[in-house]
PDB file of all heavy atoms in Angstrom:
ATOM      1  N   ASN A 277     133.656 254.620 148.826  1.00  0.00           N
ATOM      2  CA  ASN A 277     133.035 254.989 147.617  1.00  0.00           C
ATOM      3  C   ASN A 277     132.343 256.329 147.694  1.00  0.00           C
ATOM      4  O   ASN A 277     132.420 257.253 146.836  1.00  0.00           O
ATOM      5  CB  ASN A 277     132.088 254.013 147.008  1.00  0.00           C
ATOM      6  CG  ASN A 277     132.837 252.808 146.424  1.00  0.00           C
ATOM      7  OD1 ASN A 277     133.997 252.929 146.086  1.00  0.00           O
ATOM      8  ND2 ASN A 277     132.155 251.667 146.259  1.00  0.00           N
ATOM      9  N   GLU A 278     131.420 256.536 148.771  1.00  0.00           N
ATOM     10  CA  GLU A 278     130.725 257.726 148.893  1.00  0.00           C
ATOM     11  C   GLU A 278     131.610 258.937 148.904  1.00  0.00           C
ATOM     12  O   GLU A 278     131.379 260.019 148.299  1.00  0.00           O
ATOM     13  CB  GLU A 278     129.819 257.679 150.111  1.00  0.00           C
ATOM     14  CG  GLU A 278     128.657 256.839 150.038  1.00  0.00           C
ATOM     15  CD  GLU A 278     128.967 255.356 150.443  1.00  0.00           C
ATOM     16  OE1 GLU A 278     130.139 254.991 150.413  1.00  0.00           O
ATOM     17  OE2 GLU A 278     127.935 254.642 150.679  1.00  0.00           O
ATOM     18  N   PHE A 279     132.713 258.826 149.709  1.00  0.00           N
ATOM     19  CA  PHE A 279     133.650 259.973 149.853  1.00  0.00           C
ATOM     20  C   PHE A 279     134.380 260.282 148.547  1.00  0.00           C
ATOM     21  O   PHE A 279     134.622 261.408 148.119  1.00  0.00           O
ATOM     22  CB  PHE A 279     134.684 259.785 150.959  1.00  0.00           C
ATOM     23  CG  PHE A 279     133.895 259.771 152.323  1.00  0.00           C
ATOM     24  CD1 PHE A 279     134.500 258.991 153.351  1.00  0.00           C
ATOM     25  CD2 PHE A 279     132.715 260.379 152.533  1.00  0.00           C
ATOM     26  CE1 PHE A 279     133.928 259.049 154.636  1.00  0.00           C
ATOM     27  CE2 PHE A 279     132.140 260.360 153.740  1.00  0.00           C
ATOM     28  CZ  PHE A 279     132.667 259.746 154.783  1.00  0.00           C
ATOM     29  N   LYS A 280     134.699 259.135 147.893  1.00  0.00           N
ATOM     30  CA  LYS A 280     135.353 259.309 146.614  1.00  0.00           C
ATOM     31  C   LYS A 280     134.554 260.036 145.607  1.00  0.00           C
ATOM     32  O   LYS A 280     134.919 260.976 144.898  1.00  0.00           O
ATOM     33  CB  LYS A 280     135.624 257.936 145.910  1.00  0.00           C
ATOM     34  CG  LYS A 280     137.019 257.356 146.299  1.00  0.00           C
ATOM     35  CD  LYS A 280     137.296 256.079 145.478  1.00  0.00           C
ATOM     36  CE  LYS A 280     138.193 255.120 146.041  1.00  0.00           C
ATOM     37  NZ  LYS A 280     138.134 253.787 145.608  1.00  0.00           N
ATOM     38  N   GLU A 281     133.171 259.710 145.562  1.00  0.00           N
ATOM     39  CA  GLU A 281     132.272 260.366 144.699  1.00  0.00           C
ATOM     40  C   GLU A 281     132.100 261.850 145.062  1.00  0.00           C
ATOM     41  O   GLU A 281     132.169 262.664 144.216  1.00  0.00           O
ATOM     42  CB  GLU A 281     130.944 259.666 144.857  1.00  0.00           C
ATOM     43  CG  GLU A 281     130.127 259.610 143.593  1.00  0.00           C
ATOM     44  CD  GLU A 281     128.948 258.696 143.714  1.00  0.00           C
ATOM     45  OE1 GLU A 281     129.108 257.521 144.078  1.00  0.00           O
ATOM     46  OE2 GLU A 281     127.842 259.185 143.603  1.00  0.00           O
ATOM     47  N   LEU A 282     132.024 262.090 146.304  1.00  0.00           N
ATOM     48  CA  LEU A 282     131.925 263.484 146.853  1.00  0.00           C
ATOM     49  C   LEU A 282     133.091 264.300 146.482  1.00  0.00           C
ATOM     50  O   LEU A 282     132.997 265.431 145.851  1.00  0.00           O
ATOM     51  CB  LEU A 282     131.846 263.467 148.392  1.00  0.00           C
ATOM     52  CG  LEU A 282     131.816 264.862 149.077  1.00  0.00           C
ATOM     53  CD1 LEU A 282     130.512 265.536 148.924  1.00  0.00           C
ATOM     54  CD2 LEU A 282     132.208 264.702 150.546  1.00  0.00           C
ATOM     55  N   ASN A 283     134.316 263.746 146.679  1.00  0.00           N
ATOM     56  CA  ASN A 283     135.518 264.477 146.308  1.00  0.00           C
ATOM     57  C   ASN A 283     135.595 264.708 144.816  1.00  0.00           C
ATOM     58  O   ASN A 283     135.982 265.835 144.340  1.00  0.00           O
ATOM     59  CB  ASN A 283     136.783 263.723 146.673  1.00  0.00           C
ATOM     60  CG  ASN A 283     136.955 263.626 148.211  1.00  0.00           C
ATOM     61  OD1 ASN A 283     136.296 264.385 148.896  1.00  0.00           O
ATOM     62  ND2 ASN A 283     137.878 262.854 148.678  1.00  0.00           N
ATOM     63  N   GLY A 284     135.108 263.718 143.945  1.00  0.00           N
ATOM     64  CA  GLY A 284     135.134 263.915 142.563  1.00  0.00           C
ATOM     65  C   GLY A 284     134.226 265.024 142.182  1.00  0.00           C
ATOM     66  O   GLY A 284     134.608 265.920 141.365  1.00  0.00           O
ATOM     67  N   ALA A 285     133.025 265.036 142.752  1.00  0.00           N
ATOM     68  CA  ALA A 285     132.009 266.111 142.465  1.00  0.00           C
ATOM     69  C   ALA A 285     132.535 267.468 142.952  1.00  0.00           C
ATOM     70  O   ALA A 285     132.453 268.415 142.078  1.00  0.00           O
ATOM     71  CB  ALA A 285     130.730 265.806 143.161  1.00  0.00           C
ATOM     72  N   VAL A 286     133.139 267.560 144.100  1.00  0.00           N
ATOM     73  CA  VAL A 286     133.649 268.843 144.525  1.00  0.00           C
ATOM     74  C   VAL A 286     134.839 269.274 143.638  1.00  0.00           C
ATOM     75  O   VAL A 286     134.874 270.501 143.295  1.00  0.00           O
ATOM     76  CB  VAL A 286     134.130 268.697 146.067  1.00  0.00           C
ATOM     77  CG1 VAL A 286     134.893 269.862 146.395  1.00  0.00           C
ATOM     78  CG2 VAL A 286     132.954 268.516 146.958  1.00  0.00           C
TER      79      VAL A 286
END
Side-chain angles (χ1 to χ4, degrees):
Chain A
N277 284 341
E278 285 87 343
F279 293 155
K280 270 189 201 163
E281 213 169 304
L282 173 74
N283 288 351
V286 169

